[in-house]
Amino acid sequence: MTSTTPVTSTTPVTSTTPVTGVKSGAVAKSVTAGGRSVEGSPGWPLLLGVRHHGPGSARGVRAALEAARPEAVLVEGPAEADALVALAGDAAMRPPVALLAHAVDDPGRASFWPMAEFSPEWVAIRWALDRGAAVRFVDLPAAHTLAASDPTWGDEEEAAGGPPTDPLDPLDPRGALDPLAELARAAGHDDPERWWEDVVELRGDGDPLAPFEALAEAMTVLREAYGNGGHPRDGVREAYMRLRLRAARKEFGDRIAVVCGAWHVPALARRTTVAADRALLRGLPKVKTEMTWVPWTHRRLARRSGYVAGVEAPGWYGHLFAAPDRPVERWMAKAAGLLRAEDHLVSSAHVIEAVRLAETLAVLRGRPLPGLDETTDAVRAVLCEGSDVPLALVRDRLVVGDVLGEVPAGAPAVPLQRDLSRLQRSLRLKPEARERELDLDLRKETDAARSRLLHRLRLLGVDWGVPQAGRAGTGTFREVWRLCWEPELHVQVAEAGVWGTTVEAAATARAESRALAAATLSDITALAEQCLLAGLGDALTVVMRALADRAALDTDVAHLAQALPALARALRYGDVRATDTAALAEVAAGLAERICVGLPPACAGLDADAAAAMRDRLDEIHTAIGLLPAPVPPPAPVPPPAPALTGLGSGTRGDADSGLVGRWIGVLRRLAGWERVAGGLRGRAVRILLDEGRIGEDEAAPYMSRALSVGTPPAEAAAWIDGFVGGSGGGLLLVHDERLLGLVDAWLTSVPPQAFTDVLPLLRRTFSGYEPGVRRTLGELVARGPGAGRRVALGGVPGFGDGIDPERADGVVPLLHLILGTEARV
């Protein structure tokens, strides 16, 4: 997907004071404001050069329009947006918003034209709508800007259109000129943003037309010095703007105001012929496009987000534009309120002192009013008591901000977007720019529907919500999502619109397409899991057919082992989601049977790396088989024993040695005793059998004794230990069975010095995974000298008694029965 930035230039700006400085070339001229009385009639057309997203420019535009009262206002923006102007006056429209254009045949090729409340273009549009003046967009149509077939129109130019590597170097290697930096340097400043704030954003009202005349003269000088130092396609855009300006003068007369990037003002004032301008536009590439309004965010207006025409502090600029008076005091009150909400101790006295400090810093630094630097320093020193931790919160929430705009329901949208908006309203899932967590209880109908919607969007590649790993158990009724709505999601929804007109239909079509194109068996099983989570029964039928076909042809046990866990997890979702998983269970059982047959030969003769990978597969297969549903066993004459804590699934203990579980236990026994299998795999098989209660500690000791015998290479023995006691619970085995610990201790002391260096890294990795308390207890046991082949009392070890207390143990049994869901037996 290609998402381009707006094609507006980054050229600033207006100045209310003379800009002087020493500079080589033509820019060394003194640039002065040609002020004149507002009472005099302005020259028509009125060219108002602005900095995009500048509150000072926005206030200047509003004042100039009020003074001149034009009949029509022309705004820099794609010409197709003329049909959307009326929506800007809708009461439901709340900036920041953006014009979104995308290619009909390739929705991923899109471009945005953002506008905030403090954007001069937005102010001009709203002024014209409120006063009954006509509004027209005059920039090159999006149909041309989104076309990329022409070499001069390619994506590489979009990348080159960003801000210069050095904003103060007009001869940047990419050839992009930053006029704001040039004007600041001419005025003797090395910080363009601070200079701009001083001469525009922090200045009071004056002659509303003089700043624009001064800026036009400054831009003229810059263009004479550097030529067309902006984007290479500026000449084409300006030719189109001149043609639109001529057409508007024919329609509305001369009383026309043009609001555009300041860099373009000299080009619009230059006299050219219609034929010359049309010649520049002849043969331009063109694609069919659609356009609409979409919500935008302050965070996406920030320059650090990658937006070329962005500003450093959209939240601060929005405050300067909206504050009717005393902006510094109001800003400090906002910061104090935010810090108080986060449990920081901030009083009104702090606010007063912060305001005083900001004003003092402005005087010392020679600034007309406290700017962002002064207010930030004051907030850090007073409200945050010198700490950058709470200051980071102020910068994130206030200086940048999480404001999310709104557009009216009547704005044009693809059918999929309309269906998504309907679902968001019905499920009360309002898009928000700030990241938040959503905790869902799948036993509730609304939460289950929310879960299905979020999973369907993920299938479509619209990652509005991201599931939080580890926050909910496998197959449980709880899901936790992290939600954050980004403006780019509108483009992703437009792209997904090719799959259907509703979220469900589009997700179904997308899943079916992925099933047919899946390259591996694990891809299809993961897709089946997604379909179950998303509640796509129709798509699941197609996915299951593809899964059965692929599983029948795939003979690689490693591929089968990778595919089975996803199927087993998917089967668990039927418990809460009321999903029919009969077909899935049949395929999963077939995969498990084939794994039981093919796994032992696949484990023979593996090297160390392959054995480590297969050991992970072994754990996954064991967990998966434990999740698979098993048929209810026939009644047994003897009551079966109570299930162990890590049982292999409900209903499997009634006949321990029959069915799928019985075959799996046989596979583990074969792996545990087969010498051709790598030590790590044999050790893990013994560990699983011991955890499941299939062998006792008396049987595990001979396995370990053979594995650690004198004839076993040290590296192989170390791998066996890692497989047996590595991972969760391994240390407790050694703590509670000193015979096993004695075997490990005796083997370790017998390792030859020349081999000890080779086995030490593996053993350190094994034992470093234990809890500190377990490692400490093992050290105490080894220091005391545990006896091999005998069990000793643990009374001398902290936390352990001299033996088992039957009375206390009986008190735990009812709780275990409650946890396991079994009935207490008398």
Side-chain angles (χ1 to χ4, degrees), residues 358-383:
E359 292 174 343
T360 302
L361 289 173
V363 173
L364 292 174
R365 295 170 181 175
R367 308 196 67 180
L369 287 173
L372 181 59
D373 290 342
E374 288 69 36
T375 55
T376 299
D377 290 343
V379 168
R380 177 194 288 112
V382 181
L383 303 186

Side-chain angles (χ1 to χ4, degrees), residues 20-298:
T20 59
V22 178
K23 185 170 175 60
S24 62
V27 184
K29 297 179 180 180
S30 174
V31 182
T32 60
R36 57 179 169 72
S37 173
V38 183
E39 301 298 328
S41 61
W44 298 105
L46 186 63
L47 302 180
L48 304 178
V50 300
R51 181 192 187 183
H52 304 297
H53 316 309
S57 289
R59 285 193 299 268
V61 164
R62 184 164 57 189
L65 293 177
E66 281 291 338
R69 297 282 177 164
E71 296 292 334
V73 177
L74 308 186
V75 179
E76 182 180 331
E80 297 98 332
D82 284 352
L84 302 174
V85 167
L87 289 172
D90 194 298
M93 181 78 83
R94 182 171 64 85
V97 292
L99 288 166
L100 164 63
H102 65 84
V104 173
D105 296 331
D106 183 12
R109 178 160 295 280
S111 188
F112 297 92
W113 285 262
M115 298 182 194
E117 184 182 10
F118 51 86
S119 299
E121 297 88 346
W122 179 260
V123 170
I125 292 172
R126 292 303 301 260
W127 181 91
L129 293 176
D130 292 342
R131 303 302 189 279
V135 180
R136 296 289 186 272
F137 285 93
V138 295
D139 206 349
L140 199 65
H144 296 306
T145 62
L146 294 180
S149 59
D150 185 50
T152 64
W153 221 261
D155 293 336
E156 65 276 2
E157 283 194 11
E158 292 293 346
T165 304
D166 179 2
L168 298 179
D169 183 6
L171 302 179
D172 180 82
R174 289 175 291 178
L177 174 70
D178 186 352
L180 174 58
E182 288 306 302
L183 293 178
R185 188 189 300 194
H189 289 258
D190 58 358
D191 186 344
E193 288 292 332
R194 183 170 176 174
W195 172 82
W196 170 257
E197 223 179 28
D198 283 350
V199 300
V200 176
E201 307 303 343
L202 301 179
R203 292 292 181 182
D205 295 332
D207 183 351
L209 299 180
F212 298 104
E213 294 176 350
L215 182 58
E217 185 176 350
M219 291 299 109
T220 300
V221 172
L222 285 175
R223 294 187 72 133
E224 289 175 355
Y226 296 108
N228 187 12
H231 197 284
R233 82 178 63 151
D234 280 350
V236 177
R237 295 174 55 206
E238 290 161 355
Y240 188 83
M241 290 182 189
R242 287 192 293 267
L243 291 176
R244 292 280 287 181
L245 177 56
R246 291 188 184 99
R249 296 181 72 174
K250 289 181 179 179
E251 182 179 0
F252 303 105
D254 289 336
R255 296 181 61 83
I256 294 175
V258 181
V259 179
C260 63
W263 181 255
H264 304 301
V265 169
L268 297 184
R270 188 171 66 246
R271 293 183 177 276
T272 61
T273 65
V274 174
D277 288 339
R278 287 178 177 172
L280 290 174
L281 300 172
R282 190 173 299 118
L284 289 182
K286 188 175 182 179
V287 295
K288 186 178 181 181
T289 60
E290 291 181 351
M291 180 166 285
T292 186
W293 289 102
V294 296
W296 202 253
T297 67
H298 272 184

Side-chain angles (χ1 to χ4, degrees), residues 249-472:
R249 296 181 72 174
K250 289 181 179 179
E251 182 179 0
F252 303 105
D254 289 336
R255 296 181 61 83
I256 294 175
V258 181
V259 179
C260 63
W263 181 255
H264 304 301
V265 169
L268 297 184
R270 188 171 66 246
R271 293 183 177 276
T272 61
T273 65
V274 174
D277 288 339
R278 287 178 177 172
L280 290 174
L281 300 172
R282 190 173 299 118
L284 289 182
K286 188 175 182 179
V287 295
K288 186 178 181 181
T289 60
E290 291 181 351
M291 180 166 285
T292 186
W293 289 102
V294 296
W296 202 253
T297 67
H298 272 184
R299 198 168 298 279
R300 285 301 185 205
L301 281 172
R303 182 172 297 167
R304 69 184 187 185
S305 71
Y307 172 38
V308 176
V311 293
E312 296 292 338
W316 166 252
Y317 276 0
H319 170 78
L320 288 181
F321 183 76
D325 58 356
R326 306 175 73 88
V328 177
E329 290 85 342
R330 294 176 184 274
W331 180 259
M332 293 301 178
K334 281 185 179 180
L338 173 63
L339 293 174
R340 286 173 183 168
E342 297 295 331
D343 295 330
H344 292 276
L345 298 178
V346 179
S347 67
S348 56
H350 285 92
V351 175
I352 295 172
E353 289 303 317
V355 172
R356 290 175 177 172
L357 178 57
E359 292 174 343
T360 302
L361 289 173
V363 173
L364 292 174
R365 295 170 181 175
R367 308 196 67 180
L369 287 173
L372 181 59
D373 290 342
E374 288 69 36
T375 55
T376 299
D377 290 343
V379 168
R380 177 194 288 112
V382 181
L383 303 186
C384 301
E385 298 180 346
S387 174
D388 284 337
V389 176
L391 181 65
L393 181 67
V394 174
R395 283 174 170 164
D396 184 66
R397 299 278 186 86
L398 293 184
V399 177
V400 176
D402 292 309
V403 178
L404 175 65
E406 296 180 4
V407 299
V414 296
L416 182 62
Q417 177 65 61
R418 292 190 178 279
D419 184 61
L420 175 57
S421 300
R422 178 186 61 81
L423 292 172
Q424 289 171 334
R425 291 192 299 269
S426 63
L427 296 177
R428 298 187 295 280
L429 274 179
K430 183 179 180 180
E432 295 180 0
R434 181 179 300 178
E435 187 176 285
R436 66 185 180 98
E437 281 195 353
L438 179 66
D439 198 337
L440 300 179
D441 184 345
L442 301 181
R443 297 169 297 183
K444 300 178 180 178
E445 183 177 352
T446 300
D447 281 2
R450 290 172 173 174
S451 173
R452 288 193 295 270
L453 173 62
L454 294 173
H455 280 294
R456 289 171 181 177
L457 290 176
R458 283 178 60 81
L459 259 173
L460 292 170
V462 183
D463 292 331
W464 175 24
V466 178
Q468 294 290 84
R471 298 296 303 274

Side-chain angles (χ1 to χ4, degrees), residues 465-810:
V466 178
Q468 294 290 84
R471 298 296 303 274
T474 299
T476 67
F477 57 84
R478 183 169 178 258
E479 279 186 351
V480 181
W481 293 80
R482 187 179 71 251
L483 300 182
C484 184
W485 185 267
E486 301 286 358
E488 289 81 357
L489 294 178
H490 288 283
V491 178
Q492 296 173 9
V493 173
E495 281 188 290
V498 300
W499 297 105
T501 58
T502 66
V503 174
E504 181 177 3
T508 299
R510 178 62 173 148
E512 292 174 352
S513 175
R514 286 178 55 185
L516 297 176
T520 65
L521 184 61
S522 59
D523 291 340
I524 303 180
T525 54
L527 182 60
E529 181 181 6
Q530 288 181 289
C531 289
L532 284 172
L533 289 168
L536 301 176
D538 293 341
L540 188 61
T541 303
V542 178
V543 173
M544 292 308 304
R545 284 200 300 266
L547 177 59
D549 294 342
R550 183 60 60 87
L553 298 176
D554 201 326
T555 59
D556 192 327
V557 175
H559 292 171
L560 301 178
Q562 290 176 348
L564 183 61
L567 288 180
R569 289 193 303 269
L571 286 170
R572 299 288 291 180
Y573 302 136
D575 297 341
V576 175
R577 301 173 186 269
T579 305
D580 184 8
T581 57
L584 196 62
E586 184 178 348
V587 175
L591 286 181
E593 294 283 358
R594 294 175 60 189
I595 289 172
C596 290
V597 173
L599 186 62
C603 292
L606 298 178
D607 60 17
D609 293 337
M614 186 60 75
R615 195 182 87 175
D616 294 336
R617 300 282 85 78
L618 196 68
D619 289 336
E620 293 174 356
I621 295 169
H622 175 69
T623 302
I625 291 180
L627 293 175
L628 294 179
V632 178
V638 180
L645 290 177
T646 57
L648 286 169
S650 59
T652 62
R653 294 292 188 178
D655 191 358
D657 295 324
S658 65
L660 178 59
V661 173
R663 282 188 287 278
W664 174 243
I665 295 301
V667 170
L668 292 175
R669 289 182 182 275
R670 184 178 178 186
L671 292 177
W674 195 8
E675 295 299 327
R676 291 186 58 192
V677 175
L681 289 172
R682 287 187 283 121
R684 178 60 69 181
V686 174
R687 167 70 181 280
I688 294 175
L689 290 171
L690 182 63
D691 286 347
E692 291 297 326
R694 300 296 178 167
I695 62 174
E697 294 174 353
D698 293 341
E699 296 178 78
Y703 279 111
M704 177 178 283
S705 180
R706 288 195 297 270
L708 303 183
S709 62
V710 177
T712 305
E716 185 74 6
W720 195 98
I721 293 175
D722 183 52
F724 182 70
V725 298
S728 176
L732 292 177
L733 283 175
L734 301 180
V735 167
H736 290 290
D737 194 332
E738 290 196 34
R739 178 172 48 176
L740 298 180
L741 178 60
L743 289 172
V744 175
D745 184 47
W747 169 80
L748 191 58
T749 56
S750 66
V751 174
Q754 62 273 19
F756 186 80
T757 306
D758 296 331
V759 301
L760 182 60
L762 179 60
L763 294 176
R764 285 180 61 87
R765 185 187 68 182
T766 301
F767 289 95
S768 65
Y770 296 161
E771 296 290 336
V774 173
R775 293 201 301 268
R776 183 175 59 253
T777 302
L778 288 175
E780 293 171 351
L781 290 173
V782 172
R784 197 183 62 205
R790 63 186 179 87
R791 188 181 299 278
V792 299
L794 299 177
V797 180
F800 292 93
D802 293 333
I804 296 177
D805 186 340
E807 183 177 352
R808 296 182 64 188
D810 290 342

